[in-house]
Amino acid sequence: ISLALTSLALAFSANTALASCDAGERVVKFSHVTGGTTHPKVVAANNFAERVNKEMNGKLCVEVFPNSTLFGDSKELEALLLGDVQLLAPSLSKFGSYTSKYGVFDLPFIFKDMDHAIRFTNTAEGKKLLTEMDEYAGFVGLGYWMSGMKYFSANKQLTLPNDAKGLKFRVQTSDVAKQMISAMGASPQAMSFSEVYGALQTGVVDGQENTWSNIYTKKFYEVQDSVTETNHQLLAYLFMTSSDFLNSLSDEDRAQFMKIADDVTQEANLSVKAKEAANRANILKAGGKINTLTADQLKVWVDTMQPVWSQFESDIGKDLIKAAAGA
Ligand code: LMR
C-alpha cells in the first residue's frame, strides 16, 4: 500500500495533469516516461489532456501519468493492447520488437536537424510509416512528435569518438543504437529510461545519449562530466492509441478526438525547437558543462558512424533510407 501511495504522490507532485474526472465521463489514461515541466512531451501530453477535457467535457477525461509512474518503457506497449492505458508517446527507437523499419529514424546523422526530420514525416514514405504499427494487433499511430536531436554525455569529456573507447553507454532498445555505440569502440547497454539517472550515478554505465530536454529534466548533467554537442541522432515519438479505444467512440467523438490530436501534434512540432534551446540554456544555468565541436571534429563522428547505415540497409530498406536522407 505504501508503495502505491508513494507512486500516487509522485504522480501528483510531478505533474498537475491528473484531472478530476466527473461521474459519467470516460477516463482515458495517457502514460509516458518523461518528466519536469519544460519537456516537449510533457507539454504536448498536458495540452492534449487540457483540450480534450475542455472540448469533450462530460464525455472523455484524459489523465496524464508522466515519469513512468503508471507504466515504464518495458510494459507500456503491452498495456495499451490490454486496454490498461489508452494513449502513449514512446520513442520510435523502442519498437524494434514490432518493426525494423523505424530504424531509419535512428540512423546516425541521417537528419541534419529536426526540420529535416519533419520534412521526411510529411513525405509519402514518412506518412506510411505512421501507420506501420497499425497491423500489429491494433496499435494506431496518431502523429509524430519531435523531441530533439541527441548528444552524448559521459563521465569524461568526449571530443572524438575515440574518447569513448571502452566506455559503457546506456541506449534505448534499438539495434541501430547498439551498433552505433559499437562503431565507437564502446559497449551499449539497453535500459529503461527510468533507470538511467541511477545507472549513471552508480557507474553501472559511463555515459548516455539524449536530448537537451531529457538531460535537463532528468538531471543527467549532474552525474556526467559533460555533454558533447554531437547532434548525431533524432529523438521522436509515436503519439499513439489502440484501435479498440478508437472504435469504441462514436463517429462524431472519434472525429473530434482525432482533430484535437492533429492540432496538438502540429503545435508541439512548431514549438519543439524553442523548448530544446531553452533546456540547453537551463543545463548551463544549472552548472552543467557542454562541449562544442569544430567542423573537423564533427566529421570524425560522422565518418565513424557511417558504416552503421549499410549494416541496416536490408532491414530498413534502401529506398526508405534514401527517402529519409533526401527529404
Ligand atoms: C529515452 O529512453 O532516452 C527516451 O526515449 C525517453 C523519452 O521518452 O524521451
Side-chain angles (χ1 to χ4, degrees), residues 33-34 39 41 73 89 91 94 147 170 172 191 193 209-210 214 235 237:
V33 301
T34 55
H39 193 289
K41 181 155 60 181
D73 285 327
S91 156
K94 293 175 181 169
S147 189
R170 177 269 173 172
Q172 304 176 80
M191 190 183 287
F193 187 57
E209 34 136 28
N210 233 308
N214 276 333
L235 180 66
Y237 309 123

Side-chain angles (χ1 to χ4, degrees), residues 199-241:
L200 293 170
Q201 190 179 35
T202 56
V204 167
V205 292
D206 303 298
Q208 63 87 45
E209 34 136 28
N210 233 308
T211 59
W212 298 130
S213 298
N214 276 333
I215 293 168
Y216 175 65
T217 56
K218 289 295 177 185
K219 298 186 163 53
F220 296 158
Y221 63 87
E222 281 182 358
V223 285
Q224 296 279 266
D225 173 86
S226 52
V227 189
T228 299
E229 204 152 17
T230 44
N231 220 46
H232 62 279
Q233 235 188 6
L234 173 79
L235 180 66
Y237 309 123
L238 185 69
F239 176 36
M240 66 193 296
T241 185

Side-chain angles (χ1 to χ4, degrees), residues 10-246:
L10 257 176
F12 274 108
S13 65
N15 212 292
T16 52
L18 266 186
S20 55
C21 299
D22 301 328
E25 281 181 335
R26 171 138 181 225
V27 174
V28 180
K29 292 183 183 166
F30 190 158
S31 176
H32 69 82
V33 301
T34 55
T37 54
T38 58
H39 193 289
K41 181 155 60 181
V42 169
V43 175
N46 292 353
N47 282 347
F48 182 76
E50 209 172 282
R51 281 206 46 188
V52 170
N53 295 350
K54 190 163 153 214
E55 294 166 35
M56 301 186 80
N57 189 25
K59 293 178 181 170
L60 299 183
C61 178
V62 177
E63 287 186 336
V64 183
F65 297 84
N67 280 314
S68 311
T69 42
L70 187 60
F71 296 105
D73 285 327
S74 61
K75 290 275 171 3
E76 61 181 21
L77 286 169
E78 193 186 319
L80 182 60
L81 293 180
L82 291 172
D84 294 333
V85 62
Q86 288 72 38
L87 291 164
L88 301 174
S91 156
L92 294 167
S93 316
K94 293 175 181 169
F95 290 91
S97 52
Y98 295 93
T99 174
S100 50
K101 293 233 169 62
Y102 282 0
V104 72
F105 291 100
D106 277 343
L107 289 177
F109 296 105
I110 192 164
F111 301 116
K112 223 174 68 238
D113 49 29
M114 274 191 285
D115 289 340
H116 181 175
I118 291 174
R119 277 200 306 278
F120 170 59
T121 60
N122 288 327
T123 62
E125 292 88 349
K127 283 185 186 150
K128 189 161 173 280
L129 279 187
L130 179 64
T131 53
E132 173 74 12
M133 297 304 301
D134 293 20
E135 65 190 78
Y136 292 103
F139 290 130
V140 179
L142 296 168
Y144 295 109
W145 287 1
M146 296 295 138
S147 189
M149 300 307 287
K150 285 161 64 183
Y151 314 98
F152 278 107
S153 71
N155 53 14
K156 61 180 270 204
Q157 180 165 334
L158 304 175
T159 306
L160 292 173
N162 220 11
D163 298 323
K165 224 178 202 125
L167 301 187
K168 199 182 266 183
F169 285 84
R170 177 269 173 172
V171 291
Q172 304 176 80
T173 49
S174 151
D175 289 343
V176 177
K178 287 180 191 158
Q179 287 302 324
M180 183 182 75
I181 299 294
S182 299
M184 292 156 58
S187 42
Q189 182 159 336
M191 190 183 287
S192 290
F193 187 57
S194 59
E195 291 168 18
V196 180
Y197 183 91
L200 293 170
Q201 190 179 35
T202 56
V204 167
V205 292
D206 303 298
Q208 63 87 45
E209 34 136 28
N210 233 308
T211 59
W212 298 130
S213 298
N214 276 333
I215 293 168
Y216 175 65
T217 56
K218 289 295 177 185
K219 298 186 163 53
F220 296 158
Y221 63 87
E222 281 182 358
V223 285
Q224 296 279 266
D225 173 86
S226 52
V227 189
T228 299
E229 204 152 17
T230 44
N231 220 46
H232 62 279
Q233 235 188 6
L234 173 79
L235 180 66
Y237 309 123
L238 185 69
F239 176 36
M240 66 193 296
T241 185
S242 66
S243 53
D244 275 356
F245 171 70
L246 272 191

